[in-house]
Amino acid sequence: MASRRTIPALVAHGGAGAATAGDERGERRRGMLAAARLGAKILQSGGSALDAVVATVAALEDHPLFNAGYGSLLNSEGNLEMDASVMYAHPVSGPEVKRGKETRHPAEDDDYDVSAGAVALVSRVRNPVMLARAVMERSPHILLAALGAERFARNCGMRLVKPAEMISPRARERWRARKRQQAEELAQAAARASMLPEHGTVGAIAIDQDRGIAAATSTGGVPGKLFGRIGDSAIIGAGTFAHVLGAASATGQGEAIILTSLCREAVLALAEGSPEVVAREAIAEMIDATGAEAGVILLDRRRRIGYAHNAASMQVARFDPAGGLRHLWLAPIARVGRDRK
Ligand code: ASP
């Protein structure tokens, strides 16, 4: 079957949140570019959007400065509980259909298969995004959590690690510092402050040459989170969404992102607007509804890219054949609303 090829594209984010310390900016930028380059190479050699976003997110999970995989933030009890998800929409291949003089392919009629997988509260898996993909491809379910997810990982042949192996010295020190700070503050004020996102959740969205569209997100969660808390990054429609219209990955205060179904709403709005406009509107609506801080990256089937956030800081790496691979620190929409290199 002759297939209609398209030009691939990918966007990755490294979380929206508190301002990034000056001495970490260069290292984060290099980490983002290296991860996005991996995904871009997969796309350029004809690989799928799914392979590209999983490889990009897994590379960021392995990087100690990002709040996902190794180096994830710890919960209020000093333990690791990671969330991740993936979603893939790809054209259904099938026989050509002859209609008069025209030969039509099912994929031209928006005939897409859509699948998703997610994990929550895992602490013994090196790359939660890969486990999310296994849930999607090798189980009848969409979301597996905690011990059940880890047992599933083992059954899939994944090596389980000791949670301590996933805790970086930096994450442990941050947890201790937070505890010290909390002890000095009034309980309620501390609880409120502790839910503000820190920089470092990761996500990627891509479209491949066969018009497959994928999204993936992975996080250690928000600082000070309670034992057992699951955030948006494990919830399809909230932190991750992919569809025939496009794909989205979110970051920021998970409770607000879940409440507003941020990624699903944004992707469905691509029917009416460009990713750039839709991303801004989605964040503006989230602010109106919750007053929280969050960010989103968006890509449509025409390979147009958009992003917006209202936190102190957010970074993205984007790849498209016209512009190549680029890294950007994004200004928040409420303040300037324009990209800064
Ligand atoms: N959205 C993530 C969560 O709530 C955290 C983040 O993106 O910073 O778990």
Side-chain angles (χ1 to χ4, degrees):
M1 183 186 105
S3 67
R4 292 189 307 140
R5 292 270 151 101
T6 191
I7 300 171
L10 176 138
V11 193
H13 71 75
T20 307
D23 56 347
E24 285 182 4
R25 283 171 75 92
E27 192 43 51
R28 282 182 188 266
R29 179 178 180 278
R30 282 189 288 281
M32 288 293 299
L33 283 171
R37 191 173 294 117
L38 267 182
K41 278 195 178 145
I42 291 172
L43 294 170
Q44 282 173 312
S45 58
S48 72
L50 177 63
D51 285 342
V53 296
V54 170
T56 299
V57 168
L60 291 167
E61 286 178 336
D62 289 339
H63 194 299
L65 279 188
F66 293 93
N67 172 25
Y70 177 75
S72 284
L73 288 173
L74 307 180
N75 69 14
S76 57
E77 301 186 4
N79 297 319
L80 195 67
E81 288 182 319
M82 300 174 288
D83 300 338
S85 58
V86 63
M87 189 163 182
Y88 186 34
H90 57 100
V92 176
S93 53
E96 293 172 351
V97 182
K98 293 270 183 210
R99 296 215 181 135
K101 280 190 281 185
E102 245 183 279
T103 302
R104 299 171 72 226
H105 304 281
E108 291 171 22
D109 298 324
D110 285 352
D111 204 354
Y112 271 64
D113 268 343
V114 180
S115 47
V119 292
L121 310 176
V122 294
S123 57
R124 293 194 296 157
V125 179
R126 178 108 210 153
N127 290 108
V129 73
M130 291 185 185
L131 183 55
R133 180 178 185 167
V135 171
M136 175 174 92
E137 293 179 331
R138 300 171 67 176
S139 88
H141 307 301
I142 288 190
L143 173 60
L144 290 180
L147 293 179
E150 291 173 356
R151 185 187 296 174
F152 177 76
R154 197 173 28 222
N155 292 343
C156 288
M158 290 185 181
R159 194 172 74 84
L160 295 185
V161 297
K162 295 199 179 83
E165 285 177 40
M166 301 291 293
I167 299 177
S168 65
R170 179 175 179 275
R172 177 65 70 199
E173 183 38 49
R174 292 197 149 197
W175 179 78
R176 288 204 183 106
R178 186 165 293 280
K179 281 277 154 195
R180 285 195 294 272
Q181 182 193 336
Q182 279 177 341
E184 288 159 16
E185 290 171 4
L186 289 171
Q188 254 203 327
R192 244 182 282 123
S194 71
M195 295 305 283
L196 289 177
E198 252 182 63
H199 205 99
T201 287
V202 301
I205 53 179
I207 180 163
D208 59 42
Q209 64 173 22
D210 297 315
R211 292 175 302 126
I213 298 173
T217 313
S218 183
T219 190
V222 286
K225 67 180 185 176
L226 292 180
F227 174 47
R229 179 262 189 189
I230 297 173
D232 61 294
S233 308
I235 310 293
I236 297 298
T240 302
F241 198 67
H243 179 273
V244 57
L245 289 170
S249 171
T251 169
Q253 222 167 318
E255 284 67 17
I257 298 170
I258 295 172
L259 217 52
T260 53
S261 299
L262 186 64
C263 285
R264 184 169 190 276
E265 290 289 319
V267 170
L268 296 185
L270 292 173
E272 313 264 302
S274 72
E276 206 181 324
V277 170
V278 168
R280 282 166 193 276
E281 284 176 359
I283 294 301
E285 279 164 25
M286 186 280 312
I287 298 171
D288 279 353
T290 67
E293 286 183 0
V296 68
I297 56 174
L298 260 180
L299 174 77
D300 74 2
R301 62 202 294 190
R302 291 163 63 187
R303 302 178 311 282
R304 295 180 301 175
I305 287 167
Y307 22 68
H309 77 100
N310 66 325
S313 159
M314 178 167 171
Q315 61 174 153
V316 296
R318 54 181 285 173
F319 161 76
D320 55 272
L325 188 62
R326 281 175 290 161
H327 176 274
L328 304 157
W329 292 100
L330 306 179
I333 56 164
R335 292 177 212 173
V336 186
R338 298 237 324 263
D339 289 352
R340 267 187 285 127
K341 290 251 170 178

